[in-house]
């Protein structure tokens, strides 16, 4: 039986995401105002200025495109912007859900003045649907074709000014016309350990969890630069502390809980380490193609590319080369292995060998 992977940045049921369009209050750990938001300081300052300007003008705020790895706060920022603009909650949908133009038009015509429309995975909107967004974003109107053949007619409808927030993990897949219509486009970076520590301290306070500062620092350093993972680990460690630590989070309790979950000092789990071991042992450190590595591991190549590789690349344990993935000296050091000597005479072309 495969083990659940808790350090993935994808949303899990335990994360208790805010239900879209329901009016239900947000999860307790989700910041609700810009003053509560931690990290991404450059983006927060841009948003603060744009929100204040929109309020003074009494107009809709510029459209916002947020791109970057999952779990870094794109949905949270959509809720915050909606709250700062004095709207209740944003209208939320996703690119795959908008399969027909009529679905998008229905949302746009029902939107109120100044409301926020949040589209997750916006790069997956079909091209036929995306074209209806262009006049809506620029001129706040939609043109719908009614009838067919000689009876076809164009129906022009004005809509209320609104703010579109698009989120994507693959900004390169967005079309040029779509990308150019966003006034604010920002890439969310992985969080530094100091920011993650501040997030974990705040979350522990909201969870009423008595904690030693060193224990929270340990969690922050193993959270893969991702707030969602940090909060998820904190909840897991809290459960362990309630059962084994008399309800108090100490360094020993945190270390035991993380060891039980199979998370090492760099935040790697069993799947990450298996990926590194396959490169080291089966492919002599690489370079090795992604498909070959996935076949050796018995995993999907998309899983390795989207879930495993980004963090390993970020911390420098592997590198991508034109010939495939390669283990770095830091990767060998983490595995406590010595890199193979690939510059032996047998591997040097005869032309360049010393006599």
């Amino acid at each position: 039986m495969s083990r659940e992977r808790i350090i993935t940045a994808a949303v899990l049921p335990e994360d208790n995401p805010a239900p879209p369009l329901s009016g239900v209050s947000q999860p307790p750990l989700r910041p609700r105002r810009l003053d509560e938001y931690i990290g991404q300081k450059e983006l927060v300052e841009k948003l603060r200025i744009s929100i204040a300007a929109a309020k003074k003008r009494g107009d809709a705020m510029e459209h916002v495109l947020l791109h970057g790895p999952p779990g870094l706060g794109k949905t949270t920022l959509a809720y915050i912007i909606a709250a700062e603009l004095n709207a209740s909650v944003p209208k939320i949908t996703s690119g795959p859900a908008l399969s027909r133009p009529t679905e998008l038009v229905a949302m746009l015509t029902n939107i109120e003045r100044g409301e926020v429309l949040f589209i997750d995975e916006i790069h997956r909107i079909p091209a036929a649907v995306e074209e209806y967004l262009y006049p809506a974003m620029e001129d706040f109107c939609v043109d719908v074709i009614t009838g067919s053949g000689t009876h076809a007619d164009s129906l022009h409808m004005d809509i209320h000014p609104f703010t579109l927030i698009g989120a994507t993990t693959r900004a390169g897949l967005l079309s040029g016309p779509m990308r150019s219509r966003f006034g604010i486009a920002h890439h969310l970076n992985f969080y530094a350990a100091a920011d993650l520590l501040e997030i974990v301290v705040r979350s522990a306070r909201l969870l009423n969890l008595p904690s030693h500062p060193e224990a929270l620092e340990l969690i922050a350093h193993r959270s893969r630069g991702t707030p969602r993972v940090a909060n998820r680990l904190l909840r897991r460690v809290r459960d362990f502390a309630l059962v084994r630590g008399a309800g108090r989070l100490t360094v020993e309790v945190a270390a035991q809980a993380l060891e039980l979950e199979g998370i090492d000092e760099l935040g790697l789990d069993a799947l990450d380490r298996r990926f590194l071991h396959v490169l080291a042992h089966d492919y002599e450190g690489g370079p090795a193609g992604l498909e070959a590595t996935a076949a050796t591991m018995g995993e999907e190549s998309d899983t390795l590319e989207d879930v495993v590789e980004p963090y390993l690349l970020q911390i420098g344990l592997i590198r991508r080369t034109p010939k495939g993935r390669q283990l770095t000296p830091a990767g060998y050091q983490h595995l406590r292995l010595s890199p193979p000597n690939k510059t032996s005479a047998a591997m040097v072309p005869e032309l360049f060998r010393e006599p």
Side-chain angles (χ1 to χ4, degrees):
M1 180 182 296
S2 61
R3 183 174 181 175
E4 178 191 18
R5 194 164 195 256
I6 70 166
I7 50 87
T8 175
V11 178
L12 297 180
E14 67 186 72
D15 297 323
N16 189 25
L21 305 178
S22 66
V24 178
S25 60
Q26 301 173 33
L29 300 187
R30 191 190 295 274
R32 305 185 182 187
R33 294 286 179 177
L34 278 178
D35 292 337
E36 301 174 9
Y37 192 87
I38 299 169
Q40 312 292 342
K41 295 180 180 178
E42 181 181 345
L43 172 60
V44 169
E45 188 61 24
K46 287 181 183 178
L47 294 177
R48 200 183 302 277
I49 293 173
S50 296
I51 290 170
K55 286 183 176 180
K56 287 186 177 181
R57 293 194 312 266
D59 199 358
M61 179 183 160
E62 284 187 297
H63 304 300
V64 181
L65 175 64
L66 304 174
H67 52 95
L72 299 186
K74 296 185 284 293
T75 302
T76 296
L77 282 170
Y79 276 95
I80 288 176
I81 292 172
E84 295 284 355
L85 291 173
N86 298 320
S88 53
V89 293
K91 294 184 181 296
I92 298 181
T93 186
S94 65
L98 298 172
S99 58
R100 295 179 297 178
T102 53
E103 296 166 347
L104 176 63
V105 172
M107 293 195 71
L108 293 174
T109 53
N110 288 322
I111 207 164
E112 299 294 332
R113 183 179 183 86
E115 277 194 321
V116 171
L117 172 62
F118 176 61
I119 303 180
D120 199 10
E121 296 183 276
I122 193 170
H123 65 277
R124 296 180 61 184
I125 295 181
V129 178
E130 181 179 304
E131 292 179 358
Y132 283 82
L133 268 178
Y134 298 160
M137 294 173 69
E138 284 193 326
D139 304 319
F140 302 115
C141 66
V142 289
D143 296 303
V144 181
I145 304 298
T146 60
S148 61
T150 58
H151 302 287
D153 193 13
S154 176
L155 177 62
H156 180 86
M157 294 182 291
D158 292 323
I159 60 176
H160 293 293
F162 71 101
T163 297
L164 173 65
I165 301 178
T168 176
T169 57
R170 297 187 174 185
L173 297 182
L174 278 176
S175 65
M178 171 64 78
R179 193 183 301 111
S180 66
R181 283 170 168 80
F182 287 97
I184 299 175
H186 193 90
H187 177 78
L188 275 70
N189 299 307
F190 284 106
Y191 279 59
D195 289 333
L196 283 174
L197 177 59
E198 193 175 348
I199 290 172
V200 173
V201 168
R202 173 184 178 272
S203 298
R205 184 176 65 251
L206 293 175
L207 292 173
N208 296 317
L209 177 62
S211 309
H212 288 183
E214 294 83 1
L216 298 179
E217 187 174 350
L218 181 64
I219 295 173
H221 276 90
R222 299 195 186 186
S223 298
R224 304 170 70 92
T226 307
R228 181 180 292 159
V229 173
N231 285 328
R232 188 183 301 150
L233 289 180
L234 180 64
R235 292 192 189 97
R236 294 292 183 98
V237 173
R238 176 191 60 173
D239 294 342
F240 191 92
L242 289 174
V243 176
R244 302 283 179 87
R248 184 169 185 82
L249 182 58
T250 63
V251 177
E252 293 77 12
V253 169
Q256 292 173 16
L258 293 172
E259 183 180 358
L260 181 64
E261 298 291 348
I263 299 171
D264 65 21
E265 62 273 14
L266 291 183
L268 307 188
D269 69 350
L271 182 60
D272 297 314
R273 291 189 292 272
R274 189 153 61 95
F275 181 84
L276 296 177
H277 276 288
V278 166
L279 279 180
H281 295 294
D282 294 355
Y283 296 99
E284 298 182 344
L290 181 63
E291 295 292 338
T293 306
T296 303
M297 296 177 61
E299 297 284 347
E300 295 290 336
S301 59
D302 289 344
T303 300
L304 299 184
E305 186 174 22
D306 297 336
V307 177
V308 176
E309 281 191 344
Y311 184 66
L312 297 180
L313 288 166
Q314 181 209 357
I315 61 177
L317 298 188
I318 65 171
R319 67 170 67 97
R320 284 180 179 172
T321 71
K323 295 183 179 180
R325 279 61 176 172
Q326 189 171 24
L327 203 60
T328 66
Y332 279 105
Q333 183 178 359
H334 184 67
L335 296 176
R336 295 177 174 84
L337 297 174
S338 299
N341 183 11
K342 293 190 175 183
T343 59
S344 62
M347 299 183 64
V348 177
E350 185 176 355
L351 177 65
F352 299 102
R353 292 182 189 176
E354 295 182 1

